Amino acid sequence: ATSKSGDKSVHLCLSVQQEMIDDPSHSKWPSDFRAKAFKAQVTEYWENMDYMTNQISKAFCDMYGIPNDTFRVLRSASSANELKLLHWPGEGNPDQSEEFRTDPGLFTIINQTEPCFEVKDLSGAPGLLRSGNERFIVLIGEAMERFTNGEIPATRYRVAPAKHERQALKYTARLDGESIVQALEEFGDSKYTPMTQLQLLQASGA
């Protein structure tokens, strides 16, 4: 768990290093973390997001007529998932120069108080994610793009500039570090080089 003093955010994730593979029990929390109630609430939210991840993955499988556990078997307690508790106080927010990016995982699930992120549609036109905290938004990750051989393109996004306070919960669903990401046979000959989830993470700098 880390805190970014500039935007008062908290990031919870497994380390994207070799210990993620060597030690599957590698903790998401510092050993001296003392806010037990906060930890319990966030852990429950994390588990709910993991359940939602499996349901969304199953929906993608149903859509393409592939086995329901295609993505679930590539994920475990040691998956490189990430949860960010984001807070922008309204000062020092990023400007329009921030580049659009994709996440190397399966997808990202976002809940926000008001528009916090800007995305590009299939034509490349930018637009705000306008939904408030009454619903969740799902962004497609690079792993899903590669599994579908580009049929489902990854969502390009960035933090939207703003001068007012806002918050967001951003959960990124990823695979086990050693899981191979490559086009499924249902989508023909792959136009991507097979890579592990860990290699995708390291290449992206996420």
Side-chain angles (χ1 to χ4, degrees):
T2 61
S3 176
K4 294 176 64 179
S5 58
D7 56 12
K8 300 182 180 178
S9 300
V10 177
H11 299 180
L12 306 174
C13 62
L14 286 167
S15 174
V16 187
Q17 302 295 335
Q18 187 62 38
E19 63 261 27
M20 185 175 69
I21 297 174
D22 295 339
D23 181 11
S25 65
H26 190 69
S27 178
K28 296 184 290 289
W29 298 89
S31 58
D32 59 350
F33 194 84
R34 299 183 181 279
K36 293 183 178 180
F38 173 78
K39 178 178 178 179
Q41 292 170 351
V42 173
T43 298
E44 181 180 10
Y45 186 85
W46 179 289
E47 292 171 348
N48 287 335
M49 290 298 97
D50 190 63
Y51 173 80
M52 186 180 294
T53 292
N54 290 332
Q55 296 306 303
I56 296 172
S57 297
K58 181 178 179 297
F60 278 108
C61 293
D62 290 342
M63 182 170 64
Y64 285 104
I66 58 180
N68 287 339
D69 62 351
T70 297
F71 305 115
R72 183 179 58 78
V73 297
L74 300 176
R75 304 181 66 251
S76 70
S78 62
S79 294
N81 305 320
E82 180 181 63
L83 175 61
K84 293 185 177 182
L85 288 66
L86 300 166
H87 172 254
W88 293 274
E91 300 176 358
N93 283 314
D95 58 28
Q96 292 285 1
S97 64
E98 180 176 348
E99 295 184 1
F100 284 87
R101 62 189 183 277
T102 60
D103 187 89
L106 280 176
F107 39 75
T108 296
I109 305 172
I110 294 173
N111 182 257
Q112 57 186 3
T113 56
E114 53 187 291
C116 296
F117 297 94
E118 187 176 23
V119 299
K120 284 190 175 182
D121 62 22
L122 293 178
S123 69
L128 290 176
L129 291 177
R130 294 188 176 277
S131 297
N133 60 7
E134 76 281 0
R135 66 183 65 184
F136 292 93
I137 302 164
V138 178
L139 307 183
I140 303 300
E142 187 176 344
M144 184 63 74
E145 176 178 327
R146 287 169 175 259
F147 280 129
T148 62
N149 212 15
E151 184 161 332
I152 305 179
T155 308
R156 299 184 62 79
Y157 72 96
R158 68 179 180 183
V159 176
K163 295 183 178 179
H164 52 273
E165 185 178 17
R166 58 214 168 126
Q167 295 85 33
L169 292 171
K170 179 173 172 280
Y171 177 85
T172 303
R174 297 175 181 147
L175 311 170
D176 290 353
E178 68 274 20
S179 294
I180 303 296
V181 180
Q182 60 184 348
L184 302 172
E185 61 180 15
E186 290 84 357
F187 296 92
D189 295 335
S190 178
K191 59 184 181 182
Y192 301 96
T193 302
M195 300 177 70
T196 67
Q197 177 69 98
L198 183 60
Q199 287 172 329
L200 279 175
L201 281 163
Q202 292 172 332
S204 71

mmCIF file of all heavy atoms in Angstrom, residues 128-175:
data_model
loop_
_atom_site.group_PDB
_atom_site.id
_atom_site.type_symbol
_atom_site.label_atom_id
_atom_site.label_comp_id
_atom_site.label_asym_id
_atom_site.label_seq_id
_atom_site.Cartn_x
_atom_site.Cartn_y
_atom_site.Cartn_z
ATOM 1 N N LEU A 128 -15.576 12.147 -21.855
ATOM 2 C CA LEU A 128 -15.553 11.868 -20.422
ATOM 3 C C LEU A 128 -16.379 10.643 -20.079
ATOM 4 O O LEU A 128 -17.406 10.371 -20.711
ATOM 5 C CB LEU A 128 -16.092 13.070 -19.641
ATOM 6 C CG LEU A 128 -15.238 14.332 -19.587
ATOM 7 C CD1 LEU A 128 -15.997 15.435 -18.849
ATOM 8 C CD2 LEU A 128 -13.913 14.053 -18.893
ATOM 9 N N LEU A 129 -15.926 9.888 -19.064
ATOM 10 C CA LEU A 129 -16.759 8.859 -18.462
ATOM 11 C C LEU A 129 -17.700 9.566 -17.496
ATOM 12 O O LEU A 129 -17.296 9.945 -16.395
ATOM 13 C CB LEU A 129 -15.888 7.841 -17.712
ATOM 14 C CG LEU A 129 -14.998 6.944 -18.566
ATOM 15 C CD1 LEU A 129 -14.151 6.047 -17.666
ATOM 16 C CD2 LEU A 129 -15.821 6.105 -19.514
ATOM 17 N N ARG A 130 -18.938 9.778 -17.891
ATOM 18 C CA ARG A 130 -19.820 10.684 -17.164
ATOM 19 C C ARG A 130 -20.629 10.043 -16.036
ATOM 20 O O ARG A 130 -21.273 10.744 -15.280
ATOM 21 C CB ARG A 130 -20.776 11.363 -18.148
ATOM 22 C CG ARG A 130 -20.061 12.282 -19.126
ATOM 23 C CD ARG A 130 -21.033 13.100 -19.958
ATOM 24 N NE ARG A 130 -20.328 14.033 -20.818
ATOM 25 C CZ ARG A 130 -19.873 15.221 -20.445
ATOM 26 N NH1 ARG A 130 -20.061 15.609 -19.184
ATOM 27 N NH2 ARG A 130 -19.236 16.009 -21.264
ATOM 28 N N SER A 131 -20.634 8.722 -15.913
ATOM 29 C CA SER A 131 -21.433 8.086 -14.880
ATOM 30 C C SER A 131 -20.932 8.455 -13.487
ATOM 31 O O SER A 131 -19.732 8.569 -13.262
ATOM 32 C CB SER A 131 -21.405 6.565 -15.056
ATOM 33 O OG SER A 131 -21.984 6.208 -16.286
ATOM 34 N N GLY A 132 -21.868 8.645 -12.561
ATOM 35 C CA GLY A 132 -21.506 8.945 -11.182
ATOM 36 C C GLY A 132 -21.389 7.677 -10.361
ATOM 37 O O GLY A 132 -21.245 6.574 -10.899
ATOM 38 N N ASN A 133 -21.498 7.813 -9.032
ATOM 39 C CA ASN A 133 -21.235 6.671 -8.152
ATOM 40 C C ASN A 133 -22.397 5.693 -8.064
ATOM 41 O O ASN A 133 -22.372 4.766 -7.258
ATOM 42 C CB ASN A 133 -20.838 7.162 -6.759
ATOM 43 C CG ASN A 133 -21.922 8.012 -6.116
ATOM 44 O OD1 ASN A 133 -23.030 8.143 -6.636
ATOM 45 N ND2 ASN A 133 -21.595 8.593 -4.973
ATOM 46 N N GLU A 134 -23.432 5.878 -8.882
ATOM 47 C CA GLU A 134 -24.561 4.956 -8.854
ATOM 48 C C GLU A 134 -24.328 3.719 -9.726
ATOM 49 O O GLU A 134 -25.134 2.808 -9.747
ATOM 50 C CB GLU A 134 -25.846 5.663 -9.312
ATOM 51 C CG GLU A 134 -25.977 5.899 -10.823
ATOM 52 C CD GLU A 134 -25.170 7.086 -11.323
ATOM 53 O OE1 GLU A 134 -24.503 7.736 -10.486
ATOM 54 O OE2 GLU A 134 -25.222 7.370 -12.531
ATOM 55 N N ARG A 135 -23.214 3.687 -10.455
ATOM 56 C CA ARG A 135 -22.945 2.537 -11.318
ATOM 57 C C ARG A 135 -21.450 2.330 -11.516
ATOM 58 O O ARG A 135 -20.649 3.180 -11.157
ATOM 59 C CB ARG A 135 -23.629 2.730 -12.671
ATOM 60 C CG ARG A 135 -23.059 3.883 -13.492
ATOM 61 C CD ARG A 135 -23.833 4.063 -14.796
ATOM 62 N NE ARG A 135 -25.204 4.455 -14.529
ATOM 63 C CZ ARG A 135 -26.132 4.602 -15.473
ATOM 64 N NH1 ARG A 135 -25.827 4.337 -16.729
ATOM 65 N NH2 ARG A 135 -27.348 4.979 -15.155
ATOM 66 N N PHE A 136 -21.106 1.174 -12.079
ATOM 67 C CA PHE A 136 -19.719 0.845 -12.375
ATOM 68 C C PHE A 136 -19.469 0.957 -13.880
ATOM 69 O O PHE A 136 -20.364 0.734 -14.686
ATOM 70 C CB PHE A 136 -19.374 -0.570 -11.909
ATOM 71 C CG PHE A 136 -19.368 -0.741 -10.421
ATOM 72 C CD1 PHE A 136 -20.501 -1.171 -9.749
ATOM 73 C CD2 PHE A 136 -18.224 -0.463 -9.683
ATOM 74 C CE1 PHE A 136 -20.502 -1.319 -8.367
ATOM 75 C CE2 PHE A 136 -18.210 -0.611 -8.300
ATOM 76 C CZ PHE A 136 -19.353 -1.036 -7.649
ATOM 77 N N ILE A 137 -18.245 1.291 -14.233
ATOM 78 C CA ILE A 137 -17.834 1.397 -15.624
ATOM 79 C C ILE A 137 -16.722 0.388 -15.859
ATOM 80 O O ILE A 137 -15.823 0.231 -15.024
ATOM 81 C CB ILE A 137 -17.315 2.818 -15.936
ATOM 82 C CG1 ILE A 137 -18.400 3.855 -15.636
ATOM 83 C CG2 ILE A 137 -16.852 2.930 -17.381
ATOM 84 C CD1 ILE A 137 -17.875 5.265 -15.549
ATOM 85 N N VAL A 138 -16.744 -0.307 -16.991
ATOM 86 C CA VAL A 138 -15.732 -1.301 -17.319
ATOM 87 C C VAL A 138 -14.927 -0.836 -18.530
ATOM 88 O O VAL A 138 -15.493 -0.549 -19.585
ATOM 89 C CB VAL A 138 -16.372 -2.679 -17.616
ATOM 90 C CG1 VAL A 138 -15.294 -3.689 -18.005
ATOM 91 C CG2 VAL A 138 -17.149 -3.178 -16.401
ATOM 92 N N LEU A 139 -13.609 -0.755 -18.355
ATOM 93 C CA LEU A 139 -12.695 -0.432 -19.446
ATOM 94 C C LEU A 139 -11.960 -1.705 -19.867
ATOM 95 O O LEU A 139 -11.488 -2.455 -19.019
ATOM 96 C CB LEU A 139 -11.669 0.624 -19.022
ATOM 97 C CG LEU A 139 -12.196 1.934 -18.414
ATOM 98 C CD1 LEU A 139 -11.022 2.875 -18.123
ATOM 99 C CD2 LEU A 139 -13.201 2.598 -19.330
ATOM 100 N N ILE A 140 -11.840 -1.940 -21.158
ATOM 101 C CA ILE A 140 -11.172 -3.139 -21.670
ATOM 102 C C ILE A 140 -9.657 -2.980 -21.576
ATOM 103 O O ILE A 140 -9.110 -1.921 -21.883
ATOM 104 C CB ILE A 140 -11.567 -3.396 -23.131
ATOM 105 C CG1 ILE A 140 -13.085 -3.513 -23.256
ATOM 106 C CG2 ILE A 140 -10.885 -4.658 -23.669
ATOM 107 C CD1 ILE A 140 -13.687 -4.632 -22.456
ATOM 108 N N GLY A 141 -8.973 -4.059 -21.137
ATOM 109 C CA GLY A 141 -7.525 -4.027 -21.009
ATOM 110 C C GLY A 141 -6.819 -4.674 -22.198
ATOM 111 O O GLY A 141 -7.443 -5.325 -23.047
ATOM 112 N N GLU A 142 -5.493 -4.519 -22.231
ATOM 113 C CA GLU A 142 -4.699 -5.028 -23.350
ATOM 114 C C GLU A 142 -4.715 -6.557 -23.427
ATOM 115 O O GLU A 142 -4.664 -7.139 -24.523
ATOM 116 C CB GLU A 142 -3.258 -4.527 -23.233
ATOM 117 C CG GLU A 142 -2.402 -4.855 -24.440
ATOM 118 C CD GLU A 142 -1.005 -4.284 -24.354
ATOM 119 O OE1 GLU A 142 -0.776 -3.393 -23.512
ATOM 120 O OE2 GLU A 142 -0.148 -4.737 -25.131
ATOM 121 N N ALA A 143 -4.785 -7.226 -22.271
ATOM 122 C CA ALA A 143 -4.830 -8.691 -22.291
ATOM 123 C C ALA A 143 -6.072 -9.176 -23.033
ATOM 124 O O ALA A 143 -5.998 -10.109 -23.841
ATOM 125 C CB ALA A 143 -4.799 -9.241 -20.867
ATOM 126 N N MET A 144 -7.219 -8.538 -22.781
ATOM 127 C CA MET A 144 -8.450 -8.946 -23.472
ATOM 128 C C MET A 144 -8.339 -8.665 -24.971
ATOM 129 O O MET A 144 -8.811 -9.459 -25.797
ATOM 130 C CB MET A 144 -9.650 -8.209 -22.871
ATOM 131 C CG MET A 144 -10.989 -8.636 -23.459
ATOM 132 S SD MET A 144 -11.386 -10.387 -23.160
ATOM 133 C CE MET A 144 -11.798 -10.338 -21.402
ATOM 134 N N GLU A 145 -7.709 -7.552 -25.338
ATOM 135 C CA GLU A 145 -7.502 -7.266 -26.762
ATOM 136 C C GLU A 145 -6.677 -8.376 -27.409
ATOM 137 O O GLU A 145 -6.986 -8.841 -28.516
ATOM 138 C CB GLU A 145 -6.797 -5.925 -26.942
ATOM 139 C CG GLU A 145 -6.462 -5.610 -28.397
ATOM 140 C CD GLU A 145 -5.817 -4.258 -28.591
ATOM 141 O OE1 GLU A 145 -6.146 -3.324 -27.838
ATOM 142 O OE2 GLU A 145 -4.973 -4.129 -29.504
ATOM 143 N N ARG A 146 -5.626 -8.813 -26.739
ATOM 144 C CA ARG A 146 -4.757 -9.842 -27.295
ATOM 145 C C ARG A 146 -5.454 -11.207 -27.336
ATOM 146 O O ARG A 146 -5.300 -11.963 -28.300
ATOM 147 C CB ARG A 146 -3.462 -9.932 -26.478
ATOM 148 C CG ARG A 146 -2.521 -8.748 -26.713
ATOM 149 C CD ARG A 146 -1.390 -8.712 -25.704
ATOM 150 N NE ARG A 146 -0.439 -7.656 -26.018
ATOM 151 C CZ ARG A 146 0.733 -7.855 -26.623
ATOM 152 N NH1 ARG A 146 1.102 -9.082 -26.982
ATOM 153 N NH2 ARG A 146 1.542 -6.850 -26.878
ATOM 154 N N PHE A 147 -6.212 -11.536 -26.288
ATOM 155 C CA PHE A 147 -6.943 -12.809 -26.293
ATOM 156 C C PHE A 147 -7.931 -12.883 -27.458
ATOM 157 O O PHE A 147 -8.149 -13.940 -28.028
ATOM 158 C CB PHE A 147 -7.699 -12.995 -24.976
ATOM 159 C CG PHE A 147 -6.849 -13.486 -23.838
ATOM 160 C CD1 PHE A 147 -6.871 -12.822 -22.613
ATOM 161 C CD2 PHE A 147 -6.049 -14.609 -23.966
ATOM 162 C CE1 PHE A 147 -6.092 -13.274 -21.544
ATOM 163 C CE2 PHE A 147 -5.273 -15.068 -22.912
ATOM 164 C CZ PHE A 147 -5.293 -14.394 -21.704
ATOM 165 N N THR A 148 -8.561 -11.751 -27.794
ATOM 166 C CA THR A 148 -9.549 -11.719 -28.884
ATOM 167 C C THR A 148 -8.920 -11.313 -30.207
ATOM 168 O O THR A 148 -9.631 -11.031 -31.168
ATOM 169 C CB THR A 148 -10.698 -10.762 -28.541
ATOM 170 O OG1 THR A 148 -10.203 -9.429 -28.386
ATOM 171 C CG2 THR A 148 -11.401 -11.189 -27.254
ATOM 172 N N ASN A 149 -7.580 -11.276 -30.256
ATOM 173 C CA ASN A 149 -6.840 -10.965 -31.479
ATOM 174 C C ASN A 149 -7.257 -9.612 -32.072
ATOM 175 O O ASN A 149 -7.334 -9.442 -33.294
ATOM 176 C CB ASN A 149 -7.034 -12.069 -32.521
ATOM 177 C CG ASN A 149 -5.812 -12.257 -33.412
ATOM 178 O OD1 ASN A 149 -4.718 -11.775 -33.118
ATOM 179 N ND2 ASN A 149 -5.997 -12.951 -34.520
ATOM 180 N N GLY A 150 -7.556 -8.668 -31.173
ATOM 181 C CA GLY A 150 -7.878 -7.317 -31.607
ATOM 182 C C GLY A 150 -9.350 -7.066 -31.850
ATOM 183 O O GLY A 150 -9.752 -5.928 -32.126
ATOM 184 N N GLU A 151 -10.185 -8.109 -31.739
ATOM 185 C CA GLU A 151 -11.617 -7.911 -31.989
ATOM 186 C C GLU A 151 -12.244 -6.987 -30.946
ATOM 187 O O GLU A 151 -13.139 -6.208 -31.255
ATOM 188 C CB GLU A 151 -12.357 -9.252 -32.020
ATOM 189 C CG GLU A 151 -13.823 -9.110 -32.370
ATOM 190 C CD GLU A 151 -14.441 -10.407 -32.858
ATOM 191 O OE1 GLU A 151 -13.712 -11.246 -33.411
ATOM 192 O OE2 GLU A 151 -15.657 -10.555 -32.680
ATOM 193 N N ILE A 152 -11.773 -7.093 -29.702
ATOM 194 C CA ILE A 152 -12.206 -6.161 -28.650
ATOM 195 C C ILE A 152 -10.999 -5.291 -28.318
ATOM 196 O O ILE A 152 -10.102 -5.717 -27.593
ATOM 197 C CB ILE A 152 -12.684 -6.897 -27.385
ATOM 198 C CG1 ILE A 152 -13.778 -7.903 -27.726
ATOM 199 C CG2 ILE A 152 -13.196 -5.894 -26.352
ATOM 200 C CD1 ILE A 152 -14.270 -8.691 -26.523
ATOM 201 N N PRO A 153 -10.919 -4.086 -28.825
ATOM 202 C CA PRO A 153 -9.732 -3.252 -28.581
ATOM 203 C C PRO A 153 -9.681 -2.719 -27.155
ATOM 204 O O PRO A 153 -10.706 -2.463 -26.528
ATOM 205 C CB PRO A 153 -9.899 -2.106 -29.587
ATOM 206 C CG PRO A 153 -11.371 -2.034 -29.836
ATOM 207 C CD PRO A 153 -11.880 -3.447 -29.734
ATOM 208 N N ALA A 154 -8.474 -2.580 -26.642
ATOM 209 C CA ALA A 154 -8.281 -2.020 -25.301
ATOM 210 C C ALA A 154 -8.712 -0.553 -25.276
ATOM 211 O O ALA A 154 -8.563 0.179 -26.259
ATOM 212 C CB ALA A 154 -6.819 -2.141 -24.900
ATOM 213 N N THR A 155 -9.272 -0.136 -24.148
ATOM 214 C CA THR A 155 -9.723 1.240 -23.969
ATOM 215 C C THR A 155 -8.543 2.145 -23.632
ATOM 216 O O THR A 155 -7.787 1.870 -22.704
ATOM 217 C CB THR A 155 -10.758 1.332 -22.828
ATOM 218 O OG1 THR A 155 -11.797 0.384 -23.055
ATOM 219 C CG2 THR A 155 -11.346 2.731 -22.750
ATOM 220 N N ARG A 156 -8.394 3.212 -24.382
ATOM 221 C CA ARG A 156 -7.360 4.204 -24.100
ATOM 222 C C ARG A 156 -7.970 5.275 -23.190
ATOM 223 O O ARG A 156 -9.031 5.819 -23.488
ATOM 224 C CB ARG A 156 -6.831 4.821 -25.393
ATOM 225 C CG ARG A 156 -6.185 3.789 -26.317
ATOM 226 C CD ARG A 156 -5.591 4.435 -27.554
ATOM 227 N NE ARG A 156 -4.535 5.380 -27.211
ATOM 228 C CZ ARG A 156 -3.294 5.027 -26.901
ATOM 229 N NH1 ARG A 156 -2.950 3.751 -26.888
ATOM 230 N NH2 ARG A 156 -2.382 5.928 -26.618
ATOM 231 N N TYR A 157 -7.291 5.581 -22.075
ATOM 232 C CA TYR A 157 -7.858 6.508 -21.098
ATOM 233 C C TYR A 157 -6.770 7.341 -20.439
ATOM 234 O O TYR A 157 -5.577 7.042 -20.522
ATOM 235 C CB TYR A 157 -8.644 5.740 -20.035
ATOM 236 C CG TYR A 157 -7.770 4.967 -19.077
ATOM 237 C CD1 TYR A 157 -7.411 5.510 -17.839
ATOM 238 C CD2 TYR A 157 -7.285 3.705 -19.406
ATOM 239 C CE1 TYR A 157 -6.590 4.819 -16.964
ATOM 240 C CE2 TYR A 157 -6.470 3.004 -18.534
ATOM 241 C CZ TYR A 157 -6.125 3.561 -17.316
ATOM 242 O OH TYR A 157 -5.310 2.871 -16.446
ATOM 243 N N ARG A 158 -7.189 8.395 -19.754
ATOM 244 C CA ARG A 158 -6.305 9.215 -18.925
ATOM 245 C C ARG A 158 -7.159 9.915 -17.873
ATOM 246 O O ARG A 158 -8.395 9.959 -17.980
ATOM 247 C CB ARG A 158 -5.557 10.245 -19.767
ATOM 248 C CG ARG A 158 -6.438 11.334 -20.370
ATOM 249 C CD ARG A 158 -5.603 12.325 -21.166
ATOM 250 N NE ARG A 158 -6.435 13.376 -21.756
ATOM 251 C CZ ARG A 158 -5.964 14.337 -22.539
ATOM 252 N NH1 ARG A 158 -4.672 14.391 -22.824
ATOM 253 N NH2 ARG A 158 -6.767 15.255 -23.040
ATOM 254 N N VAL A 159 -6.515 10.459 -16.858
ATOM 255 C CA VAL A 159 -7.223 11.255 -15.857
ATOM 256 C C VAL A 159 -7.687 12.546 -16.514
ATOM 257 O O VAL A 159 -6.920 13.226 -17.197
ATOM 258 C CB VAL A 159 -6.316 11.568 -14.652
ATOM 259 C CG1 VAL A 159 -7.027 12.474 -13.665
ATOM 260 C CG2 VAL A 159 -5.884 10.275 -13.970
ATOM 261 N N ALA A 160 -8.955 12.885 -16.332
ATOM 262 C CA ALA A 160 -9.510 14.093 -16.936
ATOM 263 C C ALA A 160 -9.133 15.320 -16.114
ATOM 264 O O ALA A 160 -9.279 15.320 -14.887
ATOM 265 C CB ALA A 160 -11.027 13.986 -17.024
ATOM 266 N N PRO A 161 -8.654 16.376 -16.753
ATOM 267 C CA PRO A 161 -8.343 17.611 -16.027
ATOM 268 C C PRO A 161 -9.611 18.198 -15.397
ATOM 269 O O PRO A 161 -10.692 18.146 -15.981
ATOM 270 C CB PRO A 161 -7.791 18.533 -17.113
ATOM 271 C CG PRO A 161 -7.379 17.619 -18.215
ATOM 272 C CD PRO A 161 -8.332 16.481 -18.182
ATOM 273 N N ALA A 162 -9.483 18.720 -14.202
ATOM 274 C CA ALA A 162 -10.615 19.364 -13.524
ATOM 275 C C ALA A 162 -10.083 20.226 -12.390
ATOM 276 O O ALA A 162 -8.993 19.990 -11.880
ATOM 277 C CB ALA A 162 -11.585 18.323 -12.985
ATOM 278 N N LYS A 163 -10.865 21.214 -11.980
ATOM 279 C CA LYS A 163 -10.458 22.112 -10.897
ATOM 280 C C LYS A 163 -11.313 21.936 -9.656
ATOM 281 O O LYS A 163 -11.282 22.770 -8.762
ATOM 282 C CB LYS A 163 -10.519 23.561 -11.388
ATOM 283 C CG LYS A 163 -9.524 23.874 -12.504
ATOM 284 C CD LYS A 163 -9.575 25.332 -12.889
ATOM 285 C CE LYS A 163 -8.542 25.645 -13.970
ATOM 286 N NZ LYS A 163 -8.575 27.073 -14.383
ATOM 287 N N HIS A 164 -12.091 20.847 -9.598
ATOM 288 C CA HIS A 164 -12.926 20.601 -8.430
ATOM 289 C C HIS A 164 -12.568 19.249 -7.818
ATOM 290 O O HIS A 164 -11.954 18.388 -8.454
ATOM 291 C CB HIS A 164 -14.407 20.618 -8.827
ATOM 292 C CG HIS A 164 -14.734 19.712 -9.968
ATOM 293 N ND1 HIS A 164 -14.631 20.104 -11.285
ATOM 294 C CD2 HIS A 164 -15.129 18.410 -9.997
ATOM 295 C CE1 HIS A 164 -14.969 19.107 -12.082
ATOM 296 N NE2 HIS A 164 -15.262 18.063 -11.335
ATOM 297 N N GLU A 165 -12.943 19.064 -6.561
ATOM 298 C CA GLU A 165 -12.635 17.836 -5.837
ATOM 299 C C GLU A 165 -13.445 16.668 -6.392
ATOM 300 O O GLU A 165 -14.597 16.811 -6.758
ATOM 301 C CB GLU A 165 -12.958 18.019 -4.350
ATOM 302 C CG GLU A 165 -12.558 16.836 -3.483
ATOM 303 C CD GLU A 165 -12.849 17.083 -2.017
ATOM 304 O OE1 GLU A 165 -13.639 18.000 -1.721
ATOM 305 O OE2 GLU A 165 -12.293 16.359 -1.177
ATOM 306 N N ARG A 166 -12.822 15.504 -6.447
ATOM 307 C CA ARG A 166 -13.496 14.300 -6.917
ATOM 308 C C ARG A 166 -12.771 13.078 -6.404
ATOM 309 O O ARG A 166 -11.597 13.149 -6.013
ATOM 310 C CB ARG A 166 -13.581 14.273 -8.446
ATOM 311 C CG ARG A 166 -12.211 14.351 -9.103
ATOM 312 C CD ARG A 166 -12.279 15.115 -10.418
ATOM 313 N NE ARG A 166 -10.930 15.411 -10.862
ATOM 314 C CZ ARG A 166 -10.426 15.114 -12.052
ATOM 315 N NH1 ARG A 166 -11.180 14.518 -12.957
ATOM 316 N NH2 ARG A 166 -9.210 15.420 -12.367
ATOM 317 N N GLN A 167 -13.466 11.938 -6.380
ATOM 318 C CA GLN A 167 -12.897 10.675 -5.913
ATOM 319 C C GLN A 167 -13.285 9.554 -6.874
ATOM 320 O O GLN A 167 -14.289 9.645 -7.581
ATOM 321 C CB GLN A 167 -13.406 10.320 -4.509
ATOM 322 C CG GLN A 167 -12.998 11.270 -3.405
ATOM 323 C CD GLN A 167 -13.919 12.459 -3.277
ATOM 324 O OE1 GLN A 167 -15.115 12.350 -3.520
ATOM 325 N NE2 GLN A 167 -13.370 13.596 -2.893
ATOM 326 N N ALA A 168 -12.487 8.495 -6.855
ATOM 327 C CA ALA A 168 -12.790 7.317 -7.661
ATOM 328 C C ALA A 168 -12.167 6.082 -7.033
ATOM 329 O O ALA A 168 -11.130 6.153 -6.373
ATOM 330 C CB ALA A 168 -12.275 7.488 -9.091
ATOM 331 N N LEU A 169 -12.839 4.935 -7.224
ATOM 332 C CA LEU A 169 -12.290 3.623 -6.899
ATOM 333 C C LEU A 169 -12.000 2.944 -8.229
ATOM 334 O O LEU A 169 -12.898 2.795 -9.066
ATOM 335 C CB LEU A 169 -13.290 2.797 -6.100
ATOM 336 C CG LEU A 169 -13.598 3.288 -4.685
ATOM 337 C CD1 LEU A 169 -14.757 2.493 -4.098
ATOM 338 C CD2 LEU A 169 -12.376 3.162 -3.797
ATOM 339 N N LYS A 170 -10.762 2.550 -8.434
ATOM 340 C CA LYS A 170 -10.338 1.987 -9.716
ATOM 341 C C LYS A 170 -9.706 0.623 -9.470
ATOM 342 O O LYS A 170 -8.592 0.516 -8.977
ATOM 343 C CB LYS A 170 -9.348 2.944 -10.389
ATOM 344 C CG LYS A 170 -8.785 2.492 -11.732
ATOM 345 C CD LYS A 170 -7.967 3.640 -12.336
ATOM 346 C CE LYS A 170 -7.218 3.213 -13.581
ATOM 347 N NZ LYS A 170 -5.971 2.478 -13.232
ATOM 348 N N TYR A 171 -10.448 -0.424 -9.811
ATOM 349 C CA TYR A 171 -9.964 -1.796 -9.620
ATOM 350 C C TYR A 171 -9.562 -2.370 -10.973
ATOM 351 O O TYR A 171 -10.359 -2.369 -11.922
ATOM 352 C CB TYR A 171 -11.052 -2.674 -8.998
ATOM 353 C CG TYR A 171 -10.653 -4.124 -8.834
ATOM 354 C CD1 TYR A 171 -9.938 -4.542 -7.721
ATOM 355 C CD2 TYR A 171 -11.000 -5.070 -9.795
ATOM 356 C CE1 TYR A 171 -9.565 -5.873 -7.559
ATOM 357 C CE2 TYR A 171 -10.630 -6.408 -9.635
ATOM 358 C CZ TYR A 171 -9.929 -6.796 -8.529
ATOM 359 O OH TYR A 171 -9.555 -8.112 -8.380
ATOM 360 N N THR A 172 -8.343 -2.859 -11.075
ATOM 361 C CA THR A 172 -7.851 -3.429 -12.322
ATOM 362 C C THR A 172 -7.697 -4.933 -12.169
ATOM 363 O O THR A 172 -6.956 -5.403 -11.305
ATOM 364 C CB THR A 172 -6.509 -2.804 -12.726
ATOM 365 O OG1 THR A 172 -6.679 -1.382 -12.831
ATOM 366 C CG2 THR A 172 -6.058 -3.333 -14.078
ATOM 367 N N ALA A 173 -8.431 -5.684 -12.991
ATOM 368 C CA ALA A 173 -8.400 -7.145 -12.957
ATOM 369 C C ALA A 173 -7.332 -7.655 -13.905
ATOM 370 O O ALA A 173 -7.374 -7.390 -15.110
ATOM 371 C CB ALA A 173 -9.768 -7.698 -13.360
ATOM 372 N N ARG A 174 -6.381 -8.398 -13.356
ATOM 373 C CA ARG A 174 -5.295 -8.948 -14.153
ATOM 374 C C ARG A 174 -5.167 -10.448 -13.909
ATOM 375 O O ARG A 174 -5.926 -11.038 -13.138
ATOM 376 C CB ARG A 174 -3.989 -8.219 -13.816
ATOM 377 C CG ARG A 174 -4.039 -6.730 -14.175
ATOM 378 C CD ARG A 174 -2.803 -6.003 -13.729
ATOM 379 N NE ARG A 174 -2.870 -4.577 -14.056
ATOM 380 C CZ ARG A 174 -2.324 -3.622 -13.303
ATOM 381 N NH1 ARG A 174 -1.678 -3.934 -12.184
ATOM 382 N NH2 ARG A 174 -2.424 -2.363 -13.663
ATOM 383 N N LEU A 175 -4.197 -11.049 -14.572
ATOM 384 C CA LEU A 175 -3.981 -12.484 -14.504
ATOM 385 C C LEU A 175 -2.811 -12.807 -13.580
ATOM 386 O O LEU A 175 -2.113 -11.904 -13.109
ATOM 387 C CB LEU A 175 -3.673 -13.031 -15.904
ATOM 388 C CG LEU A 175 -4.620 -12.615 -17.022
ATOM 389 C CD1 LEU A 175 -4.050 -13.032 -18.361
ATOM 390 C CD2 LEU A 175 -5.999 -13.202 -16.811
#
